[in-house]
């Protein structure tokens, strides 16, 4: 398969995940922060997406609550795993380490670049970086996920 075809397939898979999250039960947390696909690089197992940073996500200083930044990055990483490993893959966060490097402002989109570093039998390793302005990283993460292919949790 050509690189172009691999990127097209990865983009289609990620868009299917985004569509599923956007149309899930409105009471599900992930449906409240669906990612928007921006780009991908299948050769690098990397996807860039964005999230709307609503006013309600902020604190009195006009910056985003750190827990929501972590939730968005976690959602982006899980969506990337599903797009790469299969849409029927069940993903559970094992650990998520986040470093906040600068404030994230409400009212501006948050961009996240995820790289799936390795996916084995039941474990996947991801890293990500988030920013609002190009060249100014707001947060970085490394994470471990438990994955079950075929849709059923063990």
């Amino acid at each position: 398969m050509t690189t172009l075809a691999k990127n097209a397939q990865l983009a289609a898979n990620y868009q299917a995940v985004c569509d599923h999250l956007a149309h899930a039960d409105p009471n599900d947390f992930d449906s409240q922060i669906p990612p928007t696909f921006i780009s991908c690089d299948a050769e690098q197992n990397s996807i860039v997406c964005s999230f709307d940073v609503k006013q309600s996500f902020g604190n009195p200083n006009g910056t985003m609550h750190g827990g929501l930044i972590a939730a968005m990055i976690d959602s982006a990483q899980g969506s990337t795993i599903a797009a790469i490993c299969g849409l029927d893959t069940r993903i559970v966060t094992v650990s998520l380490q986040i470093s906040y490097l600068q404030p994230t402002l409400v009212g501006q989109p948050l961009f996240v670049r995820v790289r799936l570093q390795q996916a084995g039998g039941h474990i996947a390793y991801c890293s990500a970086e988030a920013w609002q302005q190009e060249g100014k990283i707001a947060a970085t993460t490394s994470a471990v996920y438990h994955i079950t292919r075929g849709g059923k949790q063990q």
Side-chain angles (χ1 to χ4, degrees):
M1 185 182 291
T2 68
T3 299
L4 188 60
K6 288 178 186 176
N7 282 339
Q9 183 62 55
L10 182 55
N13 286 355
Y14 196 85
Q15 189 59 55
V17 173
C18 291
D19 291 345
H20 173 75
L21 293 175
H23 298 99
D25 182 334
N27 294 315
D28 291 346
F29 182 73
D30 281 335
S31 71
Q32 298 173 42
I33 56 166
T36 299
F37 175 79
I38 302 293
S39 65
C40 66
D41 183 340
E43 299 274 317
Q44 295 293 316
N45 283 337
S46 178
I47 292 179
V48 176
C49 65
S50 69
F51 293 89
D52 291 332
V53 180
K54 300 174 186 173
Q55 293 291 333
S56 61
F57 295 169
N59 60 33
N61 298 319
T63 59
M64 192 169 165
H65 186 282
L68 286 171
I69 296 169
M72 287 178 176
I73 294 172
D74 187 41
S75 177
Q77 291 181 144
S79 297
T80 297
I81 294 168
I84 293 171
C85 293
L87 299 177
D88 64 344
T89 302
R90 303 267 315 219
I91 299 131
V92 178
T93 308
V94 174
S95 69
L96 176 70
Q97 172 135 15
I98 188 163
S99 296
Y100 300 100
L101 306 174
Q102 67 178 0
T104 299
L105 304 174
V106 297
Q108 297 180 22
L110 181 68
F111 297 92
V112 179
R113 177 179 292 109
V114 175
R115 183 164 183 269
L116 176 60
Q117 296 170 324
Q118 184 177 355
H122 290 288
I123 298 292
Y125 299 91
C126 284
S127 61
E129 56 187 17
W131 69 92
Q132 288 185 306
Q133 296 178 341
E134 192 67 42
K136 295 188 176 185
I137 302 299
T140 61
T141 67
S142 61
V144 178
Y145 293 86
H146 181 270
I147 58 175
T148 304
R149 292 178 172 95
K152 284 203 163 190
Q153 287 295 92
Q154 293 183 349

